[in-house]
Amino acid sequence: MQEEKCVVHFPKTGKHIASIPETSVYEIPFMYERAKKAFMNWSKLKIEERLSYFTALKRVMLEELEELVEKISLDTGKVKTEALVADLMPTLDFLKHLENTAAKTLGRQKVSTPLLFIGKKSYVEYMARGTVLVISPWNYPFQLSMVPILSALIGGNTVIAKPSEVTPFVGIVMEELFKKAKFPEGVIQFAHGGKELGAALTEQKPDYIFFTGSVQTGKIIGQVAAKHLIPITLELGGKDPMIVLKDANLKRAAKAAVWGAFTNSGQVCMSVERLYVEKEVYEPFLSLLREEVAKLKQGYGLNDDVGSMTFPKQKEIVRAHIEDALKQGAKLETGAPPHEWKEDSMFIPLMVLSGVTRDMRVIKEETFGPVLPIIPFNTVEEAVELANDSEYGLSASVWSSDLDKASSIASQLVSGAVVINDVIVSIANHHLPFGGTKQSGIGRYHGEQGLRMFCHEKAIVVDDGKKKTEIQWYPYKGKYRDFVALFKEYYSHKGVNWIKFLKHYRELIKKSNQES
């Protein structure tokens, strides 16, 4: 049987970079067996012992930093600065974050014990689930793979990772990093291939599935997981709104809108994909946008701002959205219509669209490209209604010099995150949860829950074992009235009369000891 291969091309030129052997679907059961075997030892290590491997991984990444930047840029078409700042830096920062917080977050947690359980102590322990399947996307193929992989590993799980077949070179790069950091065999394995491989991996009943990608694929994975009662996290798409009030710092907001819409050529789930501007400042703000876009340079050089698209199929989705908008009367304030694009190029002109309406595809569907549609609004209430009028709810931003007003608007937005007077950056704070509402996904990662979700929570209650019996144990003879009086006293809206409470409690102890 001929070995299938993922072929890697540089998006700029189409130049062949590498051919990567695909993982055979027949290999998958053996991968799960290796993961299960490795779990027996990896899960028993202390967190500090696991962290030693993470420290080694960070050291290798720093030693090879510029080489990693080059490889990510080659595979994705993004400029090197974005590969460094948006793919590698968040991963390095997360490794440092784990070194500082993982032991405390995943260690045994003492919790309160009800007064009626006098003499006992209560704790929560975090127990690894088993083998975690991580399926990651192509837009940030390093960061969006590594953070969930590392989150699962630190809790004692083993991981099988399937990087995107669109950026397979980065998948090999990550696999080699773990080998150089000398992670034990079977603890982290990579499966390289397309949708057929992904389907086969989910059908093998992993103990947890973490998926980042499209809504369509996420729903399919959710169905498989439900069939086998597999817990999942789904990080899906976005159509993120930016609301600019007339009292905002307009120059700052314009710069942010342009960066938020065009960073990584718009291929960001948290991109600014809908821009709502208060009508009084709409025209001057539009002028500022045109000025900012005119300053940008597209290319692959160190001094360029915006790289190319990564995936040819995504370019066609952007084309369809623009053609639909122009056909319905929208106007290109910057950029060029699709019939003027270079067919053999993965670069798309940076487009600001005016005259758009809420029923256009460019407003309703995730575009995932360098497109910024702008719509005026009259009142704050209208802005909130427009922002919430979407099947997505991943991130949003509000711009105003009145922080109280901005915070009030933020609280009304149905969104997993809201940033005030900035865009996108909430994902870079590893103390904050990340995830969406509505069609943007299920579950959260980052923050404490981002580590604990990969573990079972185990309740522990400890008694010193010195008492002969407990008041709630058999026999019940003669205890009923004392229990009634005890509970009425303890839960009284007037507050507890501790003298009466202790009287009934001692009576229950006395009757329990008499029978023991």
Side-chain angles (χ1 to χ4, degrees):
M1 182 182 295
Q2 187 176 0
E3 185 180 60
E4 297 290 332
K5 293 188 176 182
C6 296
V7 180
V8 186
H9 296 98
F10 184 26
K12 176 184 178 183
T13 62
K15 179 183 176 182
H16 179 268
I17 301 173
S19 295
I20 297 168
E22 289 192 10
T23 303
S24 168
V25 293
Y26 301 106
E27 173 66 14
I28 292 173
F30 300 104
M31 295 182 73
Y32 275 92
E33 286 180 14
R34 286 193 293 271
K36 187 175 181 179
K37 181 178 179 181
F39 176 79
M40 300 303 293
N41 291 322
W42 182 251
S43 62
K44 293 176 183 177
L45 294 179
K46 294 180 179 178
I47 293 175
E48 292 78 9
E49 293 175 309
R50 290 184 213 127
L51 279 173
S52 65
Y53 293 95
F54 286 50
T55 301
L57 177 66
K58 186 175 72 172
R59 183 176 63 250
V60 173
M61 284 181 60
L62 289 171
E63 290 171 353
E64 301 183 4
L65 191 61
E66 292 198 66
E67 184 180 348
L68 292 172
V69 168
E70 177 74 19
K71 290 176 177 177
I72 293 170
S73 179
L74 278 174
D75 205 13
T76 62
K78 65 181 66 180
V79 296
K80 288 184 177 180
T81 300
E82 283 183 352
L84 176 63
V85 172
D87 254 309
L88 289 166
M89 185 282 289
T91 306
L92 288 166
D93 195 56
F94 187 61
L95 284 164
K96 184 176 181 180
H97 174 76
L98 290 177
E99 289 175 337
N100 294 333
T101 65
K104 180 179 179 181
T105 299
L106 295 175
R108 177 187 267 199
Q109 311 288 317
K110 186 175 182 180
V111 298
S112 298
T113 303
L115 181 64
L116 293 174
F117 295 159
I118 291 173
K120 304 183 193 302
K121 296 179 180 178
S122 302
Y123 305 90
V124 176
E125 286 188 352
Y126 297 94
M127 178 178 66
R129 292 181 182 271
T131 299
V132 174
L133 173 62
V134 175
I135 302 176
S136 49
W138 49 264
N139 59 326
Y140 289 95
F142 193 88
Q143 181 217 148
L144 296 182
S145 296
M146 292 292 278
V147 171
I149 287 171
L150 296 170
S151 299
L153 289 175
I154 193 61
N157 301 281
T158 53
V159 172
I160 296 174
K162 195 201 90 63
S164 173
E165 68 275 19
V166 177
T167 49
F169 195 39
V170 175
I172 291 294
V173 166
M174 292 186 291
E175 185 172 18
E176 290 300 318
L177 285 174
F178 282 104
K179 288 179 181 177
K180 291 174 182 177
K182 296 182 170 28
F183 273 70
E185 182 180 357
V187 167
I188 169 66
Q189 301 173 81
F190 284 81
H192 305 282
K195 293 182 179 180
E196 181 183 356
L197 182 70
L201 285 164
T202 57
E203 288 289 353
Q204 282 291 317
K205 302 179 185 178
D207 298 293
Y208 198 100
I209 299 174
F210 188 100
F211 171 78
T212 306
S214 71
V215 173
Q216 181 182 1
T217 305
K219 288 179 177 179
I220 294 170
I221 290 174
Q223 290 173 351
V224 175
K227 182 170 64 176
H228 301 301
L229 291 181
I230 300 170
I232 58 171
T233 296
L234 299 176
E235 296 294 344
L236 309 176
K239 193 69 184 174
D240 301 344
M242 175 176 175
I243 299 174
V244 180
L245 303 183
K246 62 184 178 182
D247 66 345
N249 181 336
L250 296 184
K251 288 186 178 181
R252 174 179 170 84
K255 285 180 177 289
V258 168
W259 180 78
F262 300 144
T263 185
N264 199 31
S265 203
Q267 299 166 119
V268 188
C269 59
M270 301 175 76
S271 286
V272 175
E273 290 219 1
R274 294 179 291 147
L275 176 57
Y276 300 106
V277 179
E278 196 159 8
K279 195 169 186 178
E280 288 184 41
V281 295
Y282 176 80
E283 289 298 338
F285 193 78
L286 189 55
S287 179
L288 288 171
L289 288 178
R290 287 192 291 260
E291 291 175 14
E292 291 299 326
V293 175
K295 299 174 186 176
L296 300 180
K297 290 180 63 180
Q298 288 180 278
Y300 292 108
L302 288 177
N303 294 319
D304 291 325
D305 301 299
V306 183
S308 72
M309 299 290 286
T310 300
F311 190 23
K313 182 179 177 181
Q314 194 61 42
K315 178 182 175 182
E316 296 311 308
I317 292 173
V318 177
R319 180 194 302 275
H321 284 199
I322 295 298
E323 289 176 343
D324 172 74
L326 295 179
K327 184 179 179 180
Q328 296 189 62
K331 177 186 175 183
L332 279 172
E333 299 289 342
T334 67
H339 69 267
E340 295 181 12
W341 298 357
K342 295 179 180 179
E343 290 301 322
D344 59 349
S345 173
M346 287 298 289
F347 284 99
I348 295 181
L350 308 179
M351 291 165 284
V352 174
L353 273 174
S354 63
V356 294
T357 58
R358 64 203 297 174
D359 58 340
M360 292 179 182
R361 294 182 66 187
V362 76
I363 291 295
K364 294 172 64 177
E365 302 174 18
E366 185 176 34
T367 305
F368 221 63
V371 181
L372 179 57
I374 178 171
I375 296 177
F377 66 86
N378 292 300
T379 66
V380 167
E381 291 75 19
E382 182 187 3
V384 171
E385 191 273 328
L386 287 168
N388 286 336
D389 183 23
S390 174
E391 64 180 13
Y392 296 102
L394 183 58
S395 184
S397 67
V398 181
W399 293 76
S400 173
S401 59
D402 184 338
L403 296 184
D404 288 337
K405 183 191 292 184
S407 295
S408 174
I409 294 171
S411 297
Q412 298 174 62
L413 298 179
V414 184
S415 179
V418 181
V419 182
I420 295 174
N421 293 327
D422 203 341
V423 292
I424 297 178
V425 295
S426 59
I427 191 176
N429 184 348
H430 295 294
H431 295 277
L432 289 173
F434 176 78
T437 61
K438 298 186 277 190
Q439 297 289 300
S440 286
I442 297 173
R444 298 289 186 272
Y445 74 124
H446 292 212
E448 290 183 349
Q449 60 267 56
L451 303 185
R452 292 173 177 171
M453 73 182 190
F454 289 111
C455 298
H456 293 290
E457 287 188 318
K458 184 187 296 183
I460 305 289
V461 178
V462 179
D463 189 282
D464 62 15
K466 294 179 180 179
K467 292 182 291 185
K468 293 181 180 180
T469 187
E470 297 288 339
I471 60 173
Q472 73 273 18
W473 290 359
Y474 296 133
Y476 293 155
K477 181 181 178 181
K479 293 182 178 179
Y480 179 79
R481 292 298 171 193
D482 290 303
F483 271 124
V484 169
L486 184 77
F487 295 157
K488 283 187 174 182
E489 192 59 54
Y490 186 66
Y491 296 111
S492 172
H493 67 281
K494 297 179 181 179
V496 184
N497 183 319
W498 291 108
I499 294 175
K500 291 183 178 179
F501 174 86
L502 290 173
K503 174 186 175 184
H504 296 300
Y505 190 81
R506 289 195 188 101
E507 188 63 28
L508 285 166
I509 292 174
K510 179 180 177 182
K511 290 177 178 177
S512 297
N513 285 331
Q514 286 175 348
E515 298 291 346
S516 62

